Structure formats: structure tokens, C-alpha cells
């Protein structure tokens, strides 16, 4: 199970780091700004989750692999040819941002639920779903605030709703198909 969580966290980290970096590029930020947005998007939801669950220090600070991965991925967006290609191909930019956000949202929603299950002895359904959704959308909210935008979840209603429905599906399937399958189905549904 730990291998599945690790793989999902790496996929989510890369996806949200790309999403954050792309937002920074669109805002014409320098490499530092782009890297901070990539890092914040990739790790912000998990940090919020851990604070709510009382996991201190947050896992991001205990294992720097996710922060370093997010920073490296965001820095890659400054490769001149890639930078120019992304900014001048609006259709590709929009589609890539949408896919990276969806992938990261699905992954981090179900990873958030798994973390809550492990951290709390007898979690309630409300806590599990709340923490799952917060983990999924938290980094994007922080990204949008830092970039000076209205948070995406307030203007694209499907974003938070998809996370909520995927978390609910994961929770409902968990006792019947097991953690791994429930997480994969819930994440895929998002």
C-alpha cells in the first residue's frame, strides 16, 4: 500500500507543480516566482491537511523529496523553448493546465482521505471527506491567492464538486473493495 501512496503522491506533486508553474508563467513571474507557485500548489493542500489532523511537523517538511521534486519540475518550465511554446500556444496551455489540475486534484483528494484514515483512530465520514477535499483543492487555492487570482474553486464549480464526489465515492467503496481500489476509482472519477 505504501508504494501506491508514494506513486500517487509523485504523480500529484508533478501535476500540481506543472499547474503552479504554468500559472506563474502566465503571470510573467521570474523563475523564483514560478518555482514558489509550483511548490505551493504541489505541497500546500498536504500542509493544510496535516495541520488540521495534528500531524506536526507536516509531512512535507519531514521528507523533502516532494518539495524538491516540485521545485525541479517548476524550474523546467523555464527551459526557453518550452517556456515560449507554452505561452504562445493557448490551446495547449489551457488543456495542459486543465489536465494537470484534474490529475493532481484526483490524486491528492484520495491521498488526503488515506492520510486521515491513518492519522485518526475513529474518523467520521465528515472529517474524512472534508480533509480529502481540502487536500485536493488547498494547493490550488493558495496558488491562486499568491498569483492574485480569484481561487479557481470559486469560479469553476465543477472543481470542488468533482473532489467532493470523488471523496464520497472513495469513502463508500472503501469497505467493499479495499483501500487501493477505492482510491483508484475515487481518483479516476475526479
Amino acid at each position: 500500500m505504501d508504494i501506491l501512496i508514494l506513486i500517487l503522491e509523485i504523480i500529484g506533486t508533478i501535476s500540481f507543480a506543472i499547474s503552479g508553474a504554468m500559472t506563474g508563467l502566465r503571470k510573467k513571474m521570474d523563475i523564483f516566482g514560478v518555482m514558489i507557485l509550483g511548490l505551493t500548489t504541489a505541497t500546500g493542500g498536504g500542509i493544510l491537511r496535516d495541520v488540521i489532523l495534528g500531524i506536526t511537523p507536516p509531512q512535507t517538511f519531514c521528507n523533502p523529496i516532494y518539495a524538491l521534486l516540485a521545485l525541479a519540475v517548476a524550474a523546467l518550465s523555464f527551459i526557453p523553448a518550452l517556456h515560449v511554446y507554452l505561452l504562445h500556444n493557448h490551446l495547449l496551455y489551457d488543456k495542459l493546465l486543465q489536465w494537470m489540475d484534474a490529475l493532481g486534484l484526483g490524486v491528492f483528494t484520495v491521498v488526503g482521505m488515506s492520510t486521515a484514515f491513518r492519522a485518526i483512530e475513529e474518523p467520521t465520514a465528515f472529517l474524512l471527506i472534508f480533509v480529502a477535499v481540502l487536500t485536493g483543492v488547498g494547493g490550488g487555492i493558495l496558488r491562486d491567492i499568491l498569483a492574485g487570482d480569484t481561487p479557481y474553486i470559486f469560479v469553476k464549480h465543477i472543481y470542488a464538486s468533482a473532489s467532493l464526489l470523488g471523496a464520497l465515492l472513495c469513502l463508500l467503496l472503501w469497505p467493499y473493495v479495499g483501500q487501493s481500489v477505492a482510491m483508484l476509482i475515487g481518483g479516476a472519477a475526479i
Side-chain angles (χ1 to χ4, degrees):
M1 175 42 64
D2 289 339
I3 278 293
L4 175 63
I5 299 292
L6 175 66
I7 291 168
L8 289 175
E9 286 179 334
I10 289 171
I11 291 169
T13 299
I14 291 170
S15 300
F16 270 171
I18 291 169
S19 168
M22 290 177 63
T23 300
L25 290 174
R26 188 188 75 234
K27 293 288 192 168
K28 298 184 180 359
M29 292 182 178
D30 64 12
I31 192 167
F32 182 75
V34 167
M35 290 175 66
I36 292 300
L37 279 189
L39 174 66
T40 301
T41 309
T43 63
I47 292 170
L48 294 172
R49 171 203 66 214
D50 290 353
V51 168
I52 286 175
L53 293 175
I55 300 171
T56 55
Q59 293 174 5
T60 295
F61 301 112
C62 296
N63 186 355
I65 187 172
Y66 304 109
L68 295 173
L69 180 60
L71 290 168
V73 168
L76 288 175
S77 69
F78 257 83
I79 294 173
L82 182 60
H83 187 131
V84 170
Y85 186 68
L86 281 175
L87 289 179
H88 294 296
N89 189 333
H90 298 292
L91 181 61
L92 173 68
Y93 177 92
D94 289 340
K95 288 295 178 193
L96 185 59
L97 183 62
Q98 182 180 19
W99 277 100
M100 293 300 102
D101 262 350
L103 186 57
L105 180 66
V107 165
F108 282 131
T109 296
V110 297
V111 167
M113 183 169 291
S114 175
T115 302
F117 259 119
R118 287 179 300 185
I120 305 296
E121 192 170 317
E122 292 184 34
T124 64
F126 176 74
L127 173 79
L128 291 168
I129 291 171
F130 180 85
V131 168
V133 172
L134 179 65
T135 306
V137 303
I141 291 172
L142 295 172
R143 171 201 64 206
D144 294 341
I145 290 169
L146 289 174
D149 294 333
T150 301
Y152 201 59
I153 67 167
F154 297 145
V155 293
K156 297 288 184 183
H157 302 295
I158 190 68
Y159 194 78
S161 299
S163 179
L164 182 61
L165 291 174
L168 184 58
L169 181 61
C170 182
L171 180 64
L172 292 173
L173 291 175
W174 200 289
Y176 302 105
V177 298
Q179 179 180 358
S180 299
V181 175
M183 288 175 68
L184 291 173
I185 292 172
I190 294 169

